[in-house]
Amino acid sequence: AAAPGARRGLREGSPHAGLSTTGSVPQGLGPACQAPRCLLRVRLAIAAPAIAVLSMSVAGLPARRWGSASTKSRRPAHACCGSQPPTRTTRSTDSMAVTRGYSLSSLPHQLRGSYLKGGRPPFLARGHWRRSARGHTTMAALAEEIEVERLEMEKGYCNPFKLYEPKRIRSLVLSTPQNALACYTRGAEIVTKCGLFWLGLLSDGLSRNESNVPQRAEQLRLLLCDLGPSFIKVGQVLANRPDIVRSDYMEELTILQDDVPPFPNEEAFAIMEEQLGRPLEEVFSDISQEPIAAASLGQVYKGTLLESGEQVAIKVQRPGVEPVIYRDLFLFRVIAGFIKDIAIKRLGCNAELIVDEFAQKLLEELDYRRELQNLQAFYDNFKGDPIVKIPAAYPSLSGERMLVMEWIDGIRCTDVEGIQREINVNEFIRVGVISGLRQLLEFGLFHGDPHPGNIFAMRDGRIAYVDFGNVAELSQANKQVLIDAVVHAVNEDYKEMAGDFMRLGFLSPGRFMILLVR
């Protein structure tokens, strides 16, 4: 059931408006949606440095911002995760199966034991028992459904509006012999190009030649651009992970955040007219002839509205990206299945879950109508805020492949020299920390891709955000755990703070945890 504040947030036109708020769980979602478990590890990693900074400056923050954490957000909450108390609950594996219309007790002991241990039944790999002659679902197909359920439970959050389903992507990619051939061709292209790059790295390693590192970093960036939007997005993610990528490679990958080779302007203008349903001259008095910025999935033009004279940013999606992305996601999922056990052993994380999370957010960014809703929700949350600027949206001019919003006249955070020259850096950092923590702890709706290309420093001291395709929500329970972590950090209670991070999924229990606390 939705929290009282969340119920008031359900508004007409929202994708969540159809959910029940009468205290019952939406049909088909099951008890999984009631469990406030660990969530979205990758994007919530931004909370750790924010909490660390806050622990040094929390005494100077206005206390009113940390009062009621749940009722102020104008983003409609999921009916299944808005009102859960901050207690650790578990979901029985048998009750999960009951939501699918069967019980684990009715399954063969080989299947039940394999499932409960997190594995797959031995016969599933051999492809037996798919469907009977009459087309009924058999035990192998049933086991596959249970495996998907188990992976969803491991994610630790409820998302009833999923755009990504591994089965659906596989059926689309392999729907016809032509599509299957295109997928195999794409796989061969990826293996060939990545293999050649890997051979170059291997030769450098054997010869211990460090002088080629800048050249190899540039080669990697060009390779990702050549392989398309999915790989560009991977490069953007890696550009924010200094714990994984060395600094010289990371510096090169940051170029992918706002400087990707654009597609032809004629195609972009044709998409604009198609989405508007009329010539550009009837809407805009002026429009830039070249894109202001180009990213993995689209590019941005600057325009002036004919009626009002307001300056706007026009975001246009790259043509023909969906089929390529679907093939890439299918291939990523296949590779993740092969390395799943290695990833769990070496990294402590299921590779299939990483791919599923990446795929879900990538497909969300493809849907500009969803991004429009996210933008409007952020605008409502920060409307009139003295330190945060969210651009206003123009729904009547936006569509499935085009998004029009207010033009932000600020300094992009990729321009380090401009920031240092015109902005009080220390004050801007403070503003950024406050805005990030308000997203996490007050609204429960936070920007999932806050790289420097998506953040602007306004000359009046405010921080501005753009690109709301990647947005995520926190349950009330997890917001409470984050607040507890802040309090424990301020009080230097590191043992309890480690427990908070365990509940959030940042850390795993064990000997390493004991050493970390010491």
Side-chain angles (χ1 to χ4, degrees):
R7 294 183 190 180
R8 294 193 294 272
L10 292 173
R11 59 179 181 269
E12 185 178 357
S14 166
H16 308 269
L19 287 180
S20 169
T21 59
T22 59
S24 61
V25 178
Q27 185 176 4
L29 294 181
C33 302
Q34 300 178 357
R37 297 170 60 86
C38 112
L39 66 153
L40 299 178
R41 299 182 183 179
V42 177
R43 265 172 311 289
L44 267 182
I46 62 173
I51 290 173
V53 176
L54 180 67
S55 65
M56 295 182 288
S57 59
V58 68
L61 298 182
R64 61 177 179 84
R65 297 188 176 181
W66 316 115
S68 174
S70 62
T71 60
K72 194 170 181 179
S73 175
R74 299 175 179 86
R75 170 74 168 193
H78 292 322
C80 53
C81 54
S83 64
Q84 297 301 322
T87 57
R88 298 185 66 182
T89 61
T90 58
R91 177 188 180 195
S92 70
T93 51
D94 198 56
S95 67
M96 180 183 66
V98 169
T99 65
R100 307 292 299 181
Y102 46 77
S103 172
L104 285 179
S105 59
S106 64
L107 299 179
H109 71 278
Q110 298 95 338
L111 170 60
R112 184 168 64 251
S114 177
Y115 166 62
L116 292 176
K117 293 176 183 177
R120 297 171 68 93
F123 56 79
L124 187 58
R126 298 194 296 269
H128 294 177
W129 297 1
R130 286 289 170 184
R131 288 184 180 271
S132 65
R134 296 184 180 180
H136 297 304
T137 302
T138 56
M139 293 308 301
L142 191 63
E144 206 164 318
E145 291 186 9
I146 295 177
E147 176 72 4
V148 173
E149 285 273 339
R150 186 179 66 80
L151 292 177
E152 285 296 316
M153 187 177 71
E154 284 186 24
K155 288 181 181 179
Y157 70 98
C158 178
N159 183 10
F161 307 103
K162 293 186 297 183
L163 297 175
Y164 171 75
E165 289 282 356
K167 283 186 177 181
R168 186 177 70 88
I169 297 297
R170 181 176 60 186
S171 64
L172 288 174
V173 170
L174 305 178
S175 58
T176 65
Q178 292 81 2
N179 288 341
L181 179 61
C183 181
Y184 297 144
T185 304
R186 174 65 172 170
E189 176 190 7
I190 293 172
V191 170
T192 301
K193 292 182 178 180
C194 292
L196 292 175
F197 177 75
W198 181 259
L199 288 176
L201 291 179
L202 185 61
S203 64
D204 290 345
L206 293 175
S207 61
R208 298 185 178 181
N209 186 1
E210 289 287 331
S211 61
N212 287 339
V213 169
Q215 179 184 354
R216 296 298 183 195
E218 183 180 7
Q219 286 179 357
L220 177 60
R221 176 178 61 83
L222 296 177
L223 172 63
L224 296 178
C225 290
D226 187 36
L227 288 175
S230 304
F231 288 84
I232 294 174
K233 184 60 65 175
V234 170
Q236 291 176 347
V237 172
L238 293 177
N240 294 323
R241 296 300 301 271
D243 56 324
I244 298 177
V245 182
R246 49 186 291 172
S247 58
D248 37 21
Y249 277 86
M250 192 170 66
E251 183 178 353
E252 189 70 28
L253 291 177
T254 54
I255 299 176
L256 298 175
Q257 293 175 347
D258 63 347
D259 190 12
V260 175
F263 61 92
N265 296 316
E266 294 76 14
E267 296 183 24
F269 296 145
I271 292 174
M272 292 182 196
E273 293 187 342
E274 175 191 346
Q275 296 291 297
L276 292 170
R278 46 185 165 161
L280 294 178
E281 293 77 12
E282 296 182 9
V283 181
F284 304 104
S285 61
D286 181 59
I287 189 170
S288 60
Q289 295 303 307
E290 296 293 334
I292 304 299
S296 56
L297 303 179
Q299 54 197 42
V300 179
Y301 293 83
K302 183 178 181 180
T304 304
L305 295 180
L306 181 61
E307 293 184 356
S308 63
E310 296 174 314
Q311 291 187 328
V312 294
I314 309 164
K315 185 177 179 180
V316 185
Q317 189 177 104
R318 289 180 179 270
V321 295
E322 285 192 16
V324 177
I325 287 178
Y326 287 158
R327 295 187 194 109
D328 290 345
L329 295 180
F330 170 74
L331 295 171
F332 289 168
R333 193 59 154 69
V334 171
I335 296 172
F338 283 110
I339 66 173
K340 177 177 67 174
D341 294 336
I342 299 175
I344 292 176
K345 185 176 180 180
R346 297 287 183 87
L347 304 177
C349 189
N350 191 325
E352 289 181 331
L353 291 182
I354 296 176
V355 171
D356 290 349
E357 176 69 14
F358 174 79
Q360 171 66 24
K361 290 303 174 182
L362 183 58
L363 293 186
E364 285 181 8
E365 292 191 56
L366 280 177
D367 189 349
Y368 280 10
R369 292 170 298 186
R370 180 184 291 264
E371 181 174 351
L372 174 63
Q373 293 174 344
N374 294 336
L375 172 57
Q376 291 174 317
F378 264 81
Y379 183 82
D380 290 341
N381 286 345
F382 287 102
K383 188 174 182 179
D385 194 279
I387 64 172
V388 179
K389 170 66 177 177
I390 304 296
Y394 294 83
S396 61
L397 302 179
S398 303
E400 186 177 1
R401 303 173 61 194
M402 173 181 171
L403 182 61
V404 180
M405 68 187 77
E406 178 185 358
W407 180 261
I408 295 295
D409 187 14
I411 305 173
R412 192 184 294 265
C413 286
T414 53
D415 183 5
V416 179
E417 295 182 359
I419 293 285
Q420 294 176 340
R421 183 174 60 253
E422 301 187 40
I423 303 296
N424 184 333
V425 176
N426 291 332
E427 177 63 19
F428 182 69
I429 291 174
R430 190 186 73 87
V431 166
V433 170
I434 293 174
S435 66
L437 286 169
R438 290 191 66 196
Q439 293 173 46
L440 287 169
L441 305 181
E442 183 176 356
F443 303 122
L445 178 72
F446 63 95
H447 198 298
D449 194 19
H451 62 70
N454 289 339
I455 300 176
F456 287 80
M458 308 293 288
R459 291 174 175 82
D460 59 4
R462 291 181 294 173
I463 184 173
Y465 293 89
V466 298
D467 192 357
F468 297 89
N470 190 344
V471 164
E473 296 180 71
L474 286 177
S475 69
Q476 174 61 25
N478 285 307
K479 283 193 289 183
Q480 185 61 51
V481 176
L482 279 175
I483 293 173
D484 292 342
V486 172
V487 175
H488 294 146
V490 173
N491 295 333
E492 298 184 359
D493 190 346
Y494 301 117
K495 183 177 180 179
E496 290 297 327
M497 188 176 176
D500 296 331
F501 285 169
M502 283 173 55
R503 285 190 287 276
L504 290 170
F506 294 151
L507 299 174
S508 300
R511 178 175 175 82
F512 176 74
M513 172 65 69
I514 299 174
L515 295 176
L516 183 64
V517 173
R518 288 178 180 175

